Amino acid sequence: MKKAIYPGTFDPITLGHLDLIKRAAEMFDHIVIGVAASPSKNTLFSLEERVELISQVCAELDNVSVHGFSGLLVDFAKQQQANLLIRGLRTTMDFEYEFGLTTMYRRLMPELESIFLTPAEEYAFLSSTLVREVAIHGGEVAQFVPEVVNQRLQCKI
C-alpha cells in the first residue's frame, strides 16, 4: 500500500492545497493530511479548527484522512507508517526551502522519500499567508478557498 503524508499548517486550507490533495489521492492508495500544530506560528485557526475544516473539505475523498500532529514530521510519518512525503512547490524559493528540509528528513529517516507537486496554474501564486492577510484587511477571498473555509474566515475576522 502506497501511503503518503501531505503535511502543512493549512491556516487556512486553500483551493491550491485541495488541488494537490485531489491529485495526490489519484496517485496513491492513501493520503494522510498531517496538520502541524506549529506553535511557533501565530495561526488564525486552532489546530482543532484546521483539522475540522480540512476534514469537511476532504469528506468526499475516500482515501484521505486528516490528523493533527506536533513535534517532528519524521516521527509523525513513522507513527502513520508512511514513507512518502508530498510537498507543493510554487516558486524557486519553495524549492530551496524544501530541498533543505528534505535533506534533513533523509538524515533523520532515510526511508522517507519526498515527492514534489507543482500547483495548477491558477493557484501558483496562492498561499495561506496571502489569503489570511487579504481576509484580515477586508478583501474578498471566496475565490481562493473552499466555501466552508470562507464562511469560517468571515466569522473569525
Side-chain angles (χ1 to χ4, degrees), residues 104-125:
M104 178 60 80
Y105 297 150
R106 271 202 198 115
R107 293 289 179 110
L108 298 173
M109 186 179 168
E111 65 274 19
L112 185 63
E113 287 292 338
S114 295
I115 297 171
F116 300 102
L117 298 176
T118 57
E121 186 178 313
E122 63 263 32
Y123 305 125
F125 68 95

Side-chain angles (χ1 to χ4, degrees), residues 19 21 23 54 56 58 62 104 111 117-118 125 135 147 154 156:
D19 173 58
I21 292 166
R23 289 170 38 214
I54 297 166
Q56 288 178 31
C58 295
D62 294 335
M104 178 60 80
E111 65 274 19
L117 298 176
T118 57
F125 68 95
E147 179 56 32
Q154 299 313 311
K156 193 68 122 162

Side-chain angles (χ1 to χ4, degrees), residues 26 31 35 38 42 49 53 61 65 90 97-98 108 110 120 131 138 144 152:
E26 292 179 9
I31 304 296
V35 185
S38 300
N42 188 16
E49 289 172 315
L53 283 170
L61 300 171
S65 61
R90 294 167 300 172
Y97 177 74
E98 293 297 336
L108 298 173
V131 167
F144 308 126
R152 291 287 287 278

Side-chain angles (χ1 to χ4, degrees), residues 37-149:
S38 300
S40 62
K41 292 184 178 181
N42 188 16
T43 59
L44 182 63
F45 292 100
S46 70
L47 177 60
E48 294 76 21
E49 289 172 315
R50 289 179 280 137
V51 167
E52 176 194 341
L53 283 170
I54 297 166
S55 296
Q56 288 178 31
V57 168
C58 295
E60 82 268 0
L61 300 171
D62 294 335
N63 64 334
V64 172
S65 61
V66 183
H67 301 278
F69 77 96
S70 60
L72 292 176
L73 176 58
V74 293
D75 292 337
F76 180 68
K78 289 173 186 174
Q79 175 192 18
Q80 293 296 316
Q81 298 178 332
N83 64 351
L84 296 169
L85 185 63
I86 296 171
R87 299 298 291 160
L89 294 178
R90 294 167 300 172
T91 66
T92 56
M93 288 174 35
D94 284 349
F95 175 78
E96 289 178 17
Y97 177 74
E98 293 297 336
F99 185 80
L101 285 178
T102 298
T103 303
M104 178 60 80
Y105 297 150
R106 271 202 198 115
R107 293 289 179 110
L108 298 173
M109 186 179 168
E111 65 274 19
L112 185 63
E113 287 292 338
S114 295
I115 297 171
F116 300 102
L117 298 176
T118 57
E121 186 178 313
E122 63 263 32
Y123 305 125
F125 68 95
L126 197 54
S127 73
S128 293
T129 302
L130 188 56
V131 167
R132 263 193 334 270
E133 286 299 313
V134 170
I136 287 169
H137 291 96
E140 179 58 50
V141 296
Q143 62 186 322
F144 308 126
V145 295
E147 179 56 32
V148 67
V149 175

